[in-house]
Amino acid sequence: PAKKPAPAAAKKKAAPAPKEEAAPKEEAAPKEEAAPAAEELPAPEQPPAPTDQPAPVPTEAGGEGTPAPAEVSPAPPAEPPAPAPEPKPEKPKEEPPSCPLSLAVEEVSENSFTLTWKAPEQTGRAGLDGYVVEICKDGSSDWKAVNQEPFLSTRYTIPDLSSGDKIHVRVVAVSASGASVPATLEQPVLIREILQLPKIRMPRHLRETYIRHVGDAVNIMIPFQGKPQPEVSWTKGGQPLDTNRINIRNTARDTIFYIRQAQRGDSGKYELTVQIHGAEDKATLDIQVVEPPGPPQNLKLVDVWGFNVALEWTPPVDNGNSEIKGYRVQKSDKKSGKWFTVLERCTRTSCTISDLIIGNTYSFRVFSENICGLSNSAAVASGVAHIEKTKTAYQPEKIPQRDMMEPPKFTQPLTDRTTTRGYSTHLFCSVRGFPQPKVIWLKNQMEIREDPKYIALIDQGVCSLEIRKPGPFDGGVYTCKAVNALGEASVDCRLDVK
């Protein structure tokens, strides 16, 4: 009996050969599947060997097939993996694209809304044909496609909706292999206009005074924003605009301010108001319409001495609605009769004209100038200046008549000079006042006192300072200061020594 288990084990190993012969007995296999399956686990172990002793007896009687089903039973589970390759023929069929991403509402109005989303992560080899947007009213399950044909844009506006409706929306990606799982908004979209506070976008160049010439056209566009469409109003000084002169045209996003031919009366501050249901934004437009100024007034020939002439005048009555930037002074000698410019953009209302030719007789005129240019006419001095061939001097008997009590006043200022090292130079200015003012010279705010390098002189109101053989350290700011009992005045200049 101990030898029989060995051939039984050998017969079990040979069992695969009669496996096919046992096919007719497979009907019994299902009945034994549960038992052998449970017995198979202890089968490989040696301890149950005594239990196998009765087993060889039936096996010799042709029961070879009985152990075979015990090993055939694993064959059927081996066959289920065989269907695993069955999907392989399905691989040529591509999978549909994945779901679109980040579906969101970008904007809502009273009858439409706009969606945005991102492309799906997987689009397949053939790529996307496009997207289909579907909507469904809240409380209904009837989904309708909004677009008839797929489109590739990831932004879409759904129009023609009714205000107050709640709309569910979803987006499907479509390709040749089919449609994706739809991307659906979690909450329905309420069709209503989203309020946006009014805001005026004033252009940078209009934040300062807007200057135009008389006769020019004024055409200004100012954008704004707000929802629903804001109410736009213009006023000037709190009053409505004169529609006969000013045209206003408003759109949903901007307002246009237009004047065909500007006049000086159009100057001023205009208030723009953009309002929505009590919320408002305001901006001010400052317009200045200018024209050339009038001529200066009261031009007088004040002094004539040596080859110099002093002139004075007053500002024009009409400045052309713009600040006077300066005056242009011209001279004309009697012999030629031609006018020559002596000074441009003179910012004071007085000047001194030098380097006149001895023996000539001169006339003088002055133009005023603003942002538009020179005045159309000039102020002409009533008298003429005759430059005597002999040296002129002030007559003492005339001084009491002309020079009454007055504080010092410089009729000719100092001018900046550049000189060469080692070459003496002179600084000149002229002053008047009564009683005769005391003249003090300063260098860099330090008074010059009895320095042999400097020689200061005053003759008939003409002040001069000689700097003898200047060096680099003699450069700086020189000041001439005149003082009397009624006040004081000063002028200064810069001297550069090279």
Side-chain angles (χ1 to χ4, degrees), residues 235-305:
T235 57
K236 181 182 180 184
Q239 300 298 321
L241 303 185
D242 181 4
T243 55
N244 294 327
R245 289 203 43 76
I246 304 173
N247 297 317
I248 301 294
R249 184 170 64 85
N250 299 322
T251 67
R253 295 185 177 181
D254 55 52
T255 178
I256 296 176
F257 181 98
Y258 179 73
I259 302 176
R260 186 177 297 277
Q261 290 184 334
Q263 298 178 2
R264 288 177 60 173
D266 297 324
S267 301
K269 296 184 183 295
Y270 294 82
E271 298 86 19
L272 169 62
T273 303
V274 177
Q275 186 175 13
I276 303 176
H277 304 318
E280 64 179 24
D281 190 22
K282 292 185 176 182
T284 300
L285 174 63
D286 189 3
I287 297 179
Q288 184 178 357
V289 183
V290 298
E291 61 182 345
Q297 301 292 308
N298 307 319
L299 176 60
K300 294 186 295 184
L301 186 63
V302 179
D303 286 332
V304 180
W305 73 98

Side-chain angles (χ1 to χ4, degrees), residues 34-102:
E39 293 173 358
E40 265 185 337
L41 295 174
E45 298 178 359
Q46 296 301 328
T51 58
D52 291 335
Q53 291 176 359
V57 178
T59 53
E60 290 178 358
E64 294 178 359
T66 56
E71 291 191 1
V72 170
S73 58
E79 289 178 358
E86 291 180 1
K88 290 183 180 178
E90 294 180 2
K91 285 185 179 177
K93 296 180 181 180
E94 296 184 6
E95 296 182 358
S98 59
C99 177
L101 305 174
S102 305

Side-chain angles (χ1 to χ4, degrees), residues 98-331:
S98 59
C99 177
L101 305 174
S102 305
L103 179 60
V105 178
E106 182 181 71
E107 184 179 3
V108 181
S109 69
E110 59 184 353
N111 55 12
S112 66
F113 67 92
T114 302
L115 296 170
T116 59
W117 61 90
K118 294 182 180 178
E121 293 181 353
Q122 299 177 2
T123 58
R125 295 181 182 177
L128 288 179
D129 292 340
Y131 302 94
V132 175
V133 179
E134 299 177 343
I135 61 173
C136 173
K137 287 188 177 181
D138 190 30
S140 172
S141 60
D142 184 14
W143 289 92
K144 294 181 180 179
V146 180
N147 53 311
Q148 300 298 328
E149 297 292 335
F151 59 90
L152 290 173
S153 173
T154 58
R155 185 177 183 274
Y156 189 75
T157 300
I158 303 175
D160 304 328
L161 301 174
S162 300
S163 180
D165 284 352
K166 289 184 178 180
I167 303 296
H168 294 271
V169 63
R170 65 187 185 186
V171 178
V172 179
V174 180
S175 71
S177 57
S180 71
V181 176
T184 307
L185 285 178
E186 295 182 1
Q187 300 295 331
V189 181
L190 176 60
I191 307 303
R192 62 177 177 83
E193 193 163 17
I194 297 178
L195 291 179
Q196 184 181 28
L197 292 177
K199 180 68 176 178
I200 299 172
R201 300 294 185 185
M202 182 67 77
R204 184 179 298 274
H205 71 281
L206 297 179
R207 297 175 190 174
E208 300 177 355
T209 302
Y210 185 69
I211 300 176
R212 304 296 291 170
H213 294 178
V214 171
D216 289 352
V218 178
N219 191 3
I220 297 172
M221 182 182 72
I222 301 176
F224 57 81
Q225 65 186 28
K227 287 186 179 182
Q229 183 173 347
E231 296 180 4
V232 181
S233 61
W234 285 89
T235 57
K236 181 182 180 184
Q239 300 298 321
L241 303 185
D242 181 4
T243 55
N244 294 327
R245 289 203 43 76
I246 304 173
N247 297 317
I248 301 294
R249 184 170 64 85
N250 299 322
T251 67
R253 295 185 177 181
D254 55 52
T255 178
I256 296 176
F257 181 98
Y258 179 73
I259 302 176
R260 186 177 297 277
Q261 290 184 334
Q263 298 178 2
R264 288 177 60 173
D266 297 324
S267 301
K269 296 184 183 295
Y270 294 82
E271 298 86 19
L272 169 62
T273 303
V274 177
Q275 186 175 13
I276 303 176
H277 304 318
E280 64 179 24
D281 190 22
K282 292 185 176 182
T284 300
L285 174 63
D286 189 3
I287 297 179
Q288 184 178 357
V289 183
V290 298
E291 61 182 345
Q297 301 292 308
N298 307 319
L299 176 60
K300 294 186 295 184
L301 186 63
V302 179
D303 286 332
V304 180
W305 73 98
F307 45 82
N308 307 300
V309 171
L311 298 175
E312 279 188 354
W313 62 90
T314 57
V317 176
D318 182 11
N319 64 359
N321 199 31
S322 177
E323 180 185 359
I324 298 297
K325 292 187 173 295
Y327 301 92
R328 180 174 295 184
V329 182
Q330 295 183 338
K331 68 180 180 180

Side-chain angles (χ1 to χ4, degrees), residues 236-451:
K236 181 182 180 184
Q239 300 298 321
L241 303 185
D242 181 4
T243 55
N244 294 327
R245 289 203 43 76
I246 304 173
N247 297 317
I248 301 294
R249 184 170 64 85
N250 299 322
T251 67
R253 295 185 177 181
D254 55 52
T255 178
I256 296 176
F257 181 98
Y258 179 73
I259 302 176
R260 186 177 297 277
Q261 290 184 334
Q263 298 178 2
R264 288 177 60 173
D266 297 324
S267 301
K269 296 184 183 295
Y270 294 82
E271 298 86 19
L272 169 62
T273 303
V274 177
Q275 186 175 13
I276 303 176
H277 304 318
E280 64 179 24
D281 190 22
K282 292 185 176 182
T284 300
L285 174 63
D286 189 3
I287 297 179
Q288 184 178 357
V289 183
V290 298
E291 61 182 345
Q297 301 292 308
N298 307 319
L299 176 60
K300 294 186 295 184
L301 186 63
V302 179
D303 286 332
V304 180
W305 73 98
F307 45 82
N308 307 300
V309 171
L311 298 175
E312 279 188 354
W313 62 90
T314 57
V317 176
D318 182 11
N319 64 359
N321 199 31
S322 177
E323 180 185 359
I324 298 297
K325 292 187 173 295
Y327 301 92
R328 180 174 295 184
V329 182
Q330 295 183 338
K331 68 180 180 180
S332 173
D333 64 275
K334 188 175 181 181
K335 292 180 180 179
S336 67
K338 296 181 179 179
W339 291 97
F340 298 92
T341 298
V342 181
L343 293 173
E344 288 187 352
R345 289 283 180 95
C346 176
T347 56
R348 302 183 305 276
T349 55
S350 64
C351 70
T352 299
I353 301 174
S354 303
D355 301 329
L356 300 176
I357 298 174
I358 295 176
N360 282 2
T361 301
Y362 291 92
S363 299
F364 301 93
R365 68 181 184 183
V366 180
F367 292 88
S368 53
E369 184 178 3
N370 68 0
I371 193 173
C372 289
L374 297 176
S375 56
N376 296 325
S377 59
V380 181
S382 56
V384 295
H386 180 68
I387 308 303
E388 298 288 347
K389 291 183 179 180
T390 58
K391 184 178 180 180
T392 60
Y394 287 99
Q395 299 179 4
E397 62 274 14
K398 292 183 180 180
I399 293 176
Q401 299 175 2
R402 291 175 37 235
D403 296 334
M404 301 181 68
M405 298 290 289
E406 62 176 341
K409 179 179 180 181
F410 283 90
T411 58
Q412 179 183 4
L414 293 171
T415 57
D416 294 344
R417 297 181 66 88
T418 301
T419 188
T420 305
R421 178 177 181 178
Y423 289 83
S424 297
T425 186
H426 292 78
L427 303 178
F428 291 97
C429 62
S430 60
V431 67
R432 67 179 184 180
F434 192 81
Q436 183 176 351
K438 178 183 177 181
V439 175
I440 303 171
W441 286 92
L442 302 95
K443 175 190 174 185
N444 295 332
Q445 303 300 322
M446 298 294 293
E447 184 177 348
I448 298 173
R449 296 176 179 269
E450 298 181 0
D451 190 334

